[in-house]
Amino acid sequence: MKLLQQRMGLGRWWLLAVLVLGPVQPWAVSEEAAEQRQYQDTKTRQRQAVGQACANQLEPLQAALQGDSAPSRAQLSELIEQLGSLVDRPCSSSYEKSQIYNLLGYSHYSLEQYPRAIDNYLKMLAEPEVDDRQKVATRYTVAQLYFIQEDYGRAARQLETWLKETPEPGSDGRMLLAQAYYYLKRQDESLRLVNQIVAEALSSGKIPKESWWSLQRVLFYERGEYQKVIAVLKQLVTHYPSTRYWQQLGGIFGQLERSGDQLAVMDLLHLQRQLKDQRQLLSLAYLYLGAEVPFRAARILDEGLSSGVIEPTAKNLETLGGAWQLARETDKALPALQRAANLSDSGAIASRLASAYLDANDNSAAVREARNALRKGDLSRPALTRLTLGAALVNLNCHREAEPVFEAAAADQNVRKTARQWLQYVRSEAARREKLMEMDADIAGCQLI
């Protein structure tokens, strides 16, 4: 079934597997499908039921199809023409015709002429004297060929009949039917089959195939049964360890707002160097910030920016500077915030930079950036920026200059109490210092340049 598997790789099933399930295996060639192409006992049955005249013509053609080297396309076309000429004469019995239609179906399939292959296989199935074993195997082949053509309705009908005709249907055939049901939006029937197949494997001590769990995961997800999705993903990361399953597990934890579990999964992937794009690294950094571990967030952002994986945008640099600031690493916060402020026309970053300079006791720079922030605007809480500016002016002994700043801040109800306390202080201190200066006391005046 090599050609069948190759062709299947180009269909919608493979696209779904890559985009939704992750790159799962196409359905494996089942025990039933493996048997149907072998023809290991066809000659024995022919000698029992094929007449001598038919056998003399049929056996050389069959041998050409089953030789050590595969026939060329030209040879297959010639074999098809020769096989077609045998129908009715000399191969006139129902069983003889079934053998010819079987070989014709296989020949057309080898040429990837799938509609013609299906047509001949259906003619074979319609013969009253078709061999029962061949009939069951051929019906499975027809279902697969319908899958290639994305005719999932006919594929499902063939498989449903196959289930009734097969004494012990294998798991692969039932999984193929589950996939057909999925495409036909018959999710309940699909999930019932998948659950049954997975449960049978587990009860017999076997590990279910990766593609079985992958389809089960998708079905649970579409039903909103996220706890069951997590259970399936835990099985997948245990038995088929892959980055994509860890990422899916982290994603579902995030969807359920289980940030602690999501952080654990993402950090594991980071330690294994499996987080390779900007979105993943930023996600991990924000998770650390949410968990109040700003130092780890800053390290991840710093590494990503240094390696070029994370773009040095104003937003990303501001996040880095803020993380260092929260981690009490002001000396590392300042360069990042300064770069961010230079790239942004918004006053928000300049306001954060002013706060960082105030923490670093660089009051002149704090005044400069606070004024830049107020000039640029786009501040959600300008009163907070005014408090920063006022505090920096006080540290520079510029109390009178700080008065109007605190007066403006006091207009904001949320900081009014604090602003008025500052205002009372700077007025009192300014008056006290002015009196001392009048008395020729040696005290420093406003140091703002």
Side-chain angles (χ1 to χ4, degrees):
M1 301 296 288
K2 182 176 180 181
L3 288 175
L4 179 57
Q5 289 176 311
Q6 290 174 340
R7 178 61 180 83
M8 283 163 51
L10 301 177
R12 281 173 53 198
W13 163 245
W14 182 248
L15 182 61
L16 176 75
V18 172
L19 297 182
V20 180
L21 304 183
V24 299
Q25 301 170 349
W27 62 79
V29 179
S30 67
E31 299 88 345
E32 298 89 355
E35 290 174 359
Q36 68 192 29
R37 296 268 57 93
Q38 298 305 315
Y39 298 101
Q40 67 269 26
D41 57 350
T42 301
K43 285 191 176 184
T44 301
R45 290 196 299 274
Q46 284 183 328
R47 287 173 184 146
Q48 293 172 348
V50 175
Q52 188 62 48
C54 179
N56 289 340
Q57 298 290 324
L58 188 59
E59 286 190 359
L61 302 181
Q62 182 180 344
L65 279 172
Q66 299 173 358
D68 293 335
S69 59
S72 65
R73 296 185 67 86
Q75 289 171 326
L76 282 169
S77 297
E78 184 178 346
L79 286 168
I80 288 171
E81 185 176 345
Q82 291 174 332
L83 284 166
S85 69
L86 300 181
V87 177
D88 294 329
R89 294 185 59 187
C91 301
S92 57
S93 74
S94 176
Y95 180 77
E96 290 170 343
K97 289 180 182 179
S98 74
Q99 296 306 300
I100 292 175
Y101 290 137
N102 188 31
L103 293 174
L104 279 169
Y106 178 71
S107 300
H108 282 297
Y109 155 71
S110 299
L111 287 171
E112 300 184 39
Q113 297 171 348
Y114 303 122
R116 292 185 179 183
I118 291 173
D119 183 61
N120 280 281
Y121 281 136
L122 290 176
K123 288 179 180 178
M124 173 192 170
L125 293 173
E127 287 297 331
E129 296 178 15
V130 63
D131 178 84
D132 287 340
R133 185 167 175 236
Q134 276 190 318
K135 183 178 181 179
V136 171
T138 300
R139 196 174 298 283
Y140 188 88
T141 297
V142 171
Q144 288 184 305
L145 291 171
Y146 277 133
F147 243 93
I148 288 176
Q149 295 188 295
E150 300 180 11
D151 190 341
Y152 304 117
R154 285 191 173 93
R157 287 193 288 274
Q158 289 294 328
L159 287 166
E160 287 166 346
T161 304
W162 171 81
L163 279 175
K164 296 174 184 177
E165 294 175 344
T166 308
E168 297 182 3
S171 300
D172 292 319
R174 289 182 292 154
M175 272 301 301
L176 190 58
L177 179 57
Q179 291 161 8
Y181 284 155
Y182 178 81
Y183 287 127
L184 294 170
K185 301 190 182 303
R186 295 163 63 178
Q187 280 90 345
D188 289 346
E189 294 167 278
S190 179
L191 183 58
R192 187 160 46 248
L193 265 177
V194 175
N195 286 346
Q196 182 184 45
I197 294 165
V198 169
E200 288 173 358
L202 292 172
S203 65
S204 62
K206 297 178 181 177
I207 297 175
K209 291 183 179 179
E210 182 178 6
S211 59
W212 301 356
W213 267 324
S214 294
L215 180 56
Q216 188 183 45
R217 179 192 68 82
V218 170
L219 289 163
F220 281 141
Y221 185 84
E222 291 182 354
R223 292 163 65 94
E225 298 183 39
Y226 301 128
Q227 296 302 327
K228 292 182 179 179
V229 173
I230 291 172
V232 173
L233 283 169
K234 286 181 177 179
Q235 293 280 17
L236 283 166
V237 298
T238 300
H239 299 289
Y240 301 97
S242 170
T243 300
R244 65 182 178 275
Y245 297 135
W246 282 109
Q247 290 173 341
Q248 290 168 5
L249 187 58
I252 198 69
F253 281 142
Q255 191 169 341
L256 295 174
E257 297 184 355
R258 291 172 54 176
S259 56
D261 292 324
Q262 185 185 14
L263 174 56
V265 170
M266 296 291 286
D267 195 45
L268 174 64
L269 288 169
H270 183 245
L271 291 172
Q272 295 175 342
R273 300 186 181 279
Q274 296 300 320
L275 301 185
K276 299 178 181 179
D277 63 44
Q278 173 175 271
R279 180 186 59 82
Q280 293 171 332
L281 291 175
L282 287 176
S283 177
L284 178 57
Y286 283 120
L287 283 170
Y288 268 120
L289 286 173
E292 299 182 359
V293 190
F295 183 82
R296 287 287 298 152
R299 288 289 300 273
I300 289 163
L301 290 167
D302 197 29
E303 290 170 6
L305 285 160
S306 298
S307 66
V309 175
I310 296 178
E311 296 180 20
T313 63
K315 176 63 175 175
N316 292 338
L317 288 165
E318 180 191 11
T319 305
L320 172 61
W324 283 129
Q325 198 174 7
L326 289 170
R328 307 292 185 187
E329 297 279 352
T330 306
D331 57 330
K332 295 179 180 178
L334 288 171
L337 290 173
Q338 187 65 69
R339 288 177 65 193
N342 292 340
L343 292 171
S344 176
D345 293 329
S346 168
I349 299 177
S351 178
R352 171 169 259 177
L353 177 59
S355 176
Y357 276 127
L358 183 64
D359 290 341
N361 203 32
D362 189 342
N363 295 292
S364 295
V367 169
R368 181 187 70 241
E369 293 303 329
R371 287 175 172 170
N372 282 340
L374 292 167
R375 185 181 67 254
K376 289 180 177 181
D378 193 27
L379 298 169
S380 59
R381 298 284 303 280
L384 294 178
T385 306
R386 289 189 173 95
L387 288 180
T388 299
L389 173 57
L393 287 169
V394 168
N395 291 341
L396 291 169
N397 298 319
C398 303
H399 298 82
R400 290 299 182 193
E401 289 80 356
E403 274 190 62
V405 175
F406 288 125
E407 285 176 349
D412 187 326
Q413 180 178 326
N414 293 308
V415 300
R416 183 169 297 159
K417 182 177 180 180
T418 301
R420 285 177 172 174
Q421 288 173 342
W422 270 109
L423 189 57
Q424 182 179 3
Y425 168 75
V426 296
R427 285 173 175 168
S428 172
E429 183 64 12
R432 186 185 71 83
R433 291 174 66 84
E434 287 169 358
K435 286 182 180 180
L436 289 173
M437 289 180 182
E438 289 175 1
M439 298 169 61
D440 295 328
D442 186 14
I443 59 173
C446 179
Q447 300 172 24
L448 184 63
I449 299 175

